[in-house]
mmCIF file of all heavy atoms in Angstrom:
data_model
loop_
_atom_site.group_PDB
_atom_site.id
_atom_site.type_symbol
_atom_site.label_atom_id
_atom_site.label_comp_id
_atom_site.label_asym_id
_atom_site.label_seq_id
_atom_site.Cartn_x
_atom_site.Cartn_y
_atom_site.Cartn_z
ATOM 1 N N THR Q 7 81.483 106.569 97.435
ATOM 2 C CA THR Q 7 80.993 106.080 98.727
ATOM 3 C C THR Q 7 82.145 105.715 99.659
ATOM 4 O O THR Q 7 82.068 105.947 100.865
ATOM 5 C CB THR Q 7 80.065 104.863 98.537
ATOM 6 O OG1 THR Q 7 80.690 103.893 97.688
ATOM 7 C CG2 THR Q 7 78.740 105.277 97.936
ATOM 8 N N LEU Q 8 83.222 105.151 99.123
ATOM 9 C CA LEU Q 8 84.382 104.860 99.970
ATOM 10 C C LEU Q 8 85.042 106.151 100.449
ATOM 11 O O LEU Q 8 85.514 106.229 101.593
ATOM 12 C CB LEU Q 8 85.384 103.990 99.216
ATOM 13 C CG LEU Q 8 84.944 102.549 98.926
ATOM 14 C CD1 LEU Q 8 86.043 101.792 98.184
ATOM 15 C CD2 LEU Q 8 84.573 101.813 100.209
ATOM 16 N N LEU Q 9 85.078 107.171 99.605
ATOM 17 C CA LEU Q 9 85.606 108.463 100.047
ATOM 18 C C LEU Q 9 84.711 109.086 101.109
ATOM 19 O O LEU Q 9 85.195 109.726 102.054
ATOM 20 C CB LEU Q 9 85.746 109.410 98.852
ATOM 21 C CG LEU Q 9 86.929 109.151 97.918
ATOM 22 C CD1 LEU Q 9 86.876 110.095 96.720
ATOM 23 C CD2 LEU Q 9 88.253 109.292 98.646
ATOM 24 N N ALA Q 10 83.390 108.900 100.967
ATOM 25 C CA ALA Q 10 82.471 109.390 101.993
ATOM 26 C C ALA Q 10 82.723 108.673 103.317
ATOM 27 O O ALA Q 10 82.681 109.286 104.393
ATOM 28 C CB ALA Q 10 81.029 109.189 101.537
ATOM 29 N N PHE Q 11 82.987 107.364 103.253
ATOM 30 C CA PHE Q 11 83.323 106.608 104.457
ATOM 31 C C PHE Q 11 84.571 107.196 105.131
ATOM 32 O O PHE Q 11 84.606 107.395 106.352
ATOM 33 C CB PHE Q 11 83.573 105.141 104.079
ATOM 34 C CG PHE Q 11 84.158 104.301 105.180
ATOM 35 C CD1 PHE Q 11 83.342 103.715 106.130
ATOM 36 C CD2 PHE Q 11 85.529 104.099 105.264
ATOM 37 C CE1 PHE Q 11 83.885 102.941 107.152
ATOM 38 C CE2 PHE Q 11 86.078 103.323 106.270
ATOM 39 C CZ PHE Q 11 85.250 102.755 107.215
ATOM 40 N N LEU Q 12 85.593 107.490 104.340
ATOM 41 C CA LEU Q 12 86.841 108.009 104.890
ATOM 42 C C LEU Q 12 86.712 109.451 105.362
ATOM 43 O O LEU Q 12 87.518 109.910 106.180
ATOM 44 C CB LEU Q 12 87.949 107.911 103.836
ATOM 45 C CG LEU Q 12 88.400 106.487 103.491
ATOM 46 C CD1 LEU Q 12 89.226 106.486 102.214
ATOM 47 C CD2 LEU Q 12 89.184 105.874 104.636
ATOM 48 N N SER Q 13 85.716 110.185 104.862
ATOM 49 C CA SER Q 13 85.563 111.588 105.241
ATOM 50 C C SER Q 13 84.959 111.757 106.627
ATOM 51 O O SER Q 13 85.033 112.842 107.200
ATOM 52 C CB SER Q 13 84.687 112.309 104.211
ATOM 53 O OG SER Q 13 83.323 111.907 104.322
ATOM 54 N N VAL Q 14 84.341 110.712 107.182
ATOM 55 C CA VAL Q 14 83.766 110.774 108.526
ATOM 56 C C VAL Q 14 84.805 110.235 109.505
ATOM 57 O O VAL Q 14 85.147 109.053 109.450
ATOM 58 C CB VAL Q 14 82.467 109.955 108.612
ATOM 59 C CG1 VAL Q 14 81.869 110.045 110.014
ATOM 60 C CG2 VAL Q 14 81.453 110.439 107.578
ATOM 61 N N PRO Q 15 85.353 111.060 110.388
ATOM 62 C CA PRO Q 15 86.447 110.605 111.253
ATOM 63 C C PRO Q 15 86.123 109.347 112.058
ATOM 64 O O PRO Q 15 86.978 108.483 112.216
ATOM 65 C CB PRO Q 15 86.677 111.815 112.176
ATOM 66 C CG PRO Q 15 86.228 112.992 111.371
ATOM 67 C CD PRO Q 15 85.060 112.497 110.563
ATOM 68 N N ARG Q 16 84.891 109.232 112.556
ATOM 69 C CA ARG Q 16 84.537 108.057 113.357
ATOM 70 C C ARG Q 16 84.562 106.795 112.500
ATOM 71 O O ARG Q 16 85.022 105.738 112.937
ATOM 72 C CB ARG Q 16 83.155 108.234 113.980
ATOM 73 C CG ARG Q 16 82.789 107.131 114.976
ATOM 74 C CD ARG Q 16 81.585 107.551 115.786
ATOM 75 N NE ARG Q 16 80.393 107.601 114.972
ATOM 76 C CZ ARG Q 16 79.545 106.576 114.836
ATOM 77 N NH1 ARG Q 16 79.788 105.442 115.449
ATOM 78 N NH2 ARG Q 16 78.473 106.692 114.095
ATOM 79 N N PHE Q 17 84.083 106.875 111.267
ATOM 80 C CA PHE Q 17 84.123 105.726 110.377
ATOM 81 C C PHE Q 17 85.555 105.392 109.977
ATOM 82 O O PHE Q 17 85.957 104.224 109.945
ATOM 83 C CB PHE Q 17 83.293 105.989 109.121
ATOM 84 C CG PHE Q 17 81.805 106.094 109.368
ATOM 85 C CD1 PHE Q 17 80.944 106.468 108.350
ATOM 86 C CD2 PHE Q 17 81.263 105.809 110.618
ATOM 87 C CE1 PHE Q 17 79.577 106.560 108.560
ATOM 88 C CE2 PHE Q 17 79.897 105.904 110.841
ATOM 89 C CZ PHE Q 17 79.056 106.282 109.809
ATOM 90 N N SER Q 18 86.316 106.418 109.664
ATOM 91 C CA SER Q 18 87.700 106.201 109.258
ATOM 92 C C SER Q 18 88.498 105.513 110.353
ATOM 93 O O SER Q 18 89.386 104.695 110.078
ATOM 94 C CB SER Q 18 88.342 107.542 108.896
ATOM 95 O OG SER Q 18 89.676 107.375 108.501
ATOM 96 N N SER Q 19 88.167 105.802 111.606
ATOM 97 C CA SER Q 19 88.886 105.163 112.716
ATOM 98 C C SER Q 19 88.616 103.661 112.786
ATOM 99 O O SER Q 19 89.431 102.904 113.312
ATOM 100 C CB SER Q 19 88.500 105.816 114.049
ATOM 101 O OG SER Q 19 87.145 105.545 114.382
ATOM 102 N N PHE Q 20 87.460 103.222 112.258
ATOM 103 C CA PHE Q 20 87.172 101.785 112.243
ATOM 104 C C PHE Q 20 88.180 101.030 111.381
ATOM 105 O O PHE Q 20 88.455 99.854 111.621
ATOM 106 C CB PHE Q 20 85.765 101.520 111.695
ATOM 107 C CG PHE Q 20 84.649 102.036 112.568
ATOM 108 C CD1 PHE Q 20 83.444 102.439 112.020
ATOM 109 C CD2 PHE Q 20 84.805 102.118 113.944
ATOM 110 C CE1 PHE Q 20 82.412 102.905 112.820
ATOM 111 C CE2 PHE Q 20 83.781 102.593 114.753
ATOM 112 C CZ PHE Q 20 82.586 102.986 114.189
ATOM 113 N N ALA Q 21 88.714 101.691 110.356
ATOM 114 C CA ALA Q 21 89.639 101.031 109.432
ATOM 115 C C ALA Q 21 91.070 101.023 109.940
ATOM 116 O O ALA Q 21 91.891 100.248 109.450
ATOM 117 C CB ALA Q 21 89.591 101.713 108.068
ATOM 118 N N ARG Q 22 91.391 101.862 110.915
ATOM 119 C CA ARG Q 22 92.778 101.993 111.360
ATOM 120 C C ARG Q 22 93.242 100.718 112.071
ATOM 121 O O ARG Q 22 92.691 100.311 113.085
ATOM 122 C CB ARG Q 22 92.936 103.205 112.277
ATOM 123 C CG ARG Q 22 94.373 103.520 112.655
ATOM 124 C CD ARG Q 22 94.490 104.841 113.386
ATOM 125 N NE ARG Q 22 94.161 105.961 112.514
ATOM 126 C CZ ARG Q 22 93.092 106.728 112.669
ATOM 127 N NH1 ARG Q 22 92.243 106.488 113.657
ATOM 128 N NH2 ARG Q 22 92.853 107.715 111.841
ATOM 129 N N GLY Q 23 94.228 100.052 111.497
ATOM 130 C CA GLY Q 23 94.765 98.829 112.088
ATOM 131 C C GLY Q 23 93.860 97.625 111.960
ATOM 132 O O GLY Q 23 94.098 96.600 112.593
ATOM 133 N N ALA Q 24 92.831 97.703 111.116
ATOM 134 C CA ALA Q 24 91.844 96.626 111.000
ATOM 135 C C ALA Q 24 92.111 95.761 109.779
ATOM 136 O O ALA Q 24 92.820 96.150 108.851
ATOM 137 C CB ALA Q 24 90.438 97.218 110.920
ATOM 138 N N ALA Q 25 91.513 94.577 109.793
ATOM 139 C CA ALA Q 25 91.448 93.744 108.596
ATOM 140 C C ALA Q 25 90.205 94.181 107.823
ATOM 141 O O ALA Q 25 89.079 93.950 108.264
ATOM 142 C CB ALA Q 25 91.360 92.271 108.978
ATOM 143 N N VAL Q 26 90.407 94.837 106.693
ATOM 144 C CA VAL Q 26 89.315 95.423 105.911
ATOM 145 C C VAL Q 26 89.051 94.539 104.692
ATOM 146 O O VAL Q 26 89.963 94.253 103.914
ATOM 147 C CB VAL Q 26 89.661 96.854 105.450
ATOM 148 C CG1 VAL Q 26 88.512 97.449 104.645
ATOM 149 C CG2 VAL Q 26 89.993 97.729 106.648
ATOM 150 N N ILE Q 27 87.790 94.109 104.546
ATOM 151 C CA ILE Q 27 87.405 93.267 103.414
ATOM 152 C C ILE Q 27 86.273 93.954 102.673
ATOM 153 O O ILE Q 27 85.221 94.244 103.248
ATOM 154 C CB ILE Q 27 86.966 91.868 103.872
ATOM 155 C CG1 ILE Q 27 88.078 91.191 104.684
ATOM 156 C CG2 ILE Q 27 86.591 90.998 102.672
ATOM 157 C CD1 ILE Q 27 87.686 89.848 105.254
ATOM 158 N N ILE Q 28 86.483 94.218 101.387
ATOM 159 C CA ILE Q 28 85.456 94.807 100.532
ATOM 160 C C ILE Q 28 84.848 93.686 99.693
ATOM 161 O O ILE Q 28 85.555 92.992 98.957
ATOM 162 C CB ILE Q 28 86.047 95.892 99.621
ATOM 163 C CG1 ILE Q 28 86.709 96.986 100.464
ATOM 164 C CG2 ILE Q 28 84.972 96.491 98.723
ATOM 165 C CD1 ILE Q 28 87.433 98.029 99.641
ATOM 166 N N LEU Q 29 83.543 93.499 99.826
ATOM 167 C CA LEU Q 29 82.828 92.456 99.090
ATOM 168 C C LEU Q 29 82.134 93.117 97.907
ATOM 169 O O LEU Q 29 81.039 93.661 98.033
ATOM 170 C CB LEU Q 29 81.822 91.756 100.002
ATOM 171 C CG LEU Q 29 82.420 91.128 101.275
ATOM 172 C CD1 LEU Q 29 81.330 90.723 102.241
ATOM 173 C CD2 LEU Q 29 83.281 89.937 100.932
ATOM 174 N N SER Q 30 82.782 93.082 96.744
ATOM 175 C CA SER Q 30 82.263 93.803 95.577
ATOM 176 C C SER Q 30 82.910 93.265 94.313
ATOM 177 O O SER Q 30 84.008 92.704 94.358
ATOM 178 C CB SER Q 30 82.560 95.303 95.712
ATOM 179 O OG SER Q 30 82.226 96.001 94.537
ATOM 180 N N ASP Q 31 82.223 93.471 93.175
ATOM 181 C CA ASP Q 31 82.837 93.118 91.893
ATOM 182 C C ASP Q 31 83.759 94.215 91.392
ATOM 183 O O ASP Q 31 84.478 94.031 90.402
ATOM 184 C CB ASP Q 31 81.769 92.800 90.842
ATOM 185 C CG ASP Q 31 80.708 93.896 90.739
ATOM 186 O OD1 ASP Q 31 80.963 95.016 91.225
ATOM 187 O OD2 ASP Q 31 79.638 93.630 90.168
ATOM 188 N N ALA Q 32 83.740 95.384 92.055
ATOM 189 C CA ALA Q 32 84.624 96.515 91.718
ATOM 190 C C ALA Q 32 84.474 96.953 90.267
ATOM 191 O O ALA Q 32 85.433 97.381 89.641
ATOM 192 C CB ALA Q 32 86.077 96.176 92.020
ATOM 193 N N LEU Q 33 83.261 96.858 89.729
ATOM 194 C CA LEU Q 33 83.005 97.308 88.358
ATOM 195 C C LEU Q 33 82.585 98.772 88.408
ATOM 196 O O LEU Q 33 81.405 99.110 88.421
ATOM 197 C CB LEU Q 33 81.923 96.447 87.710
ATOM 198 C CG LEU Q 33 82.311 94.980 87.490
ATOM 199 C CD1 LEU Q 33 81.135 94.194 86.945
ATOM 200 C CD2 LEU Q 33 83.509 94.875 86.550
#
């Protein structure tokens, strides 16, 4: 799902230069 987020150029641009916080247990 994170790769899918990065594969969409408009979504990927949201992360550029941003403070990115992932709320997950990462399991």
Side-chain angles (χ1 to χ4, degrees):
T7 50
L8 291 181
L9 284 175
F11 170 85
L12 291 166
S13 72
V14 181
R16 187 166 69 93
F17 293 173
S18 180
S19 68
F20 294 150
R22 187 171 293 113
V26 180
I27 303 176
I28 302 174
L29 303 168
S30 173
D31 51 17
L33 294 176

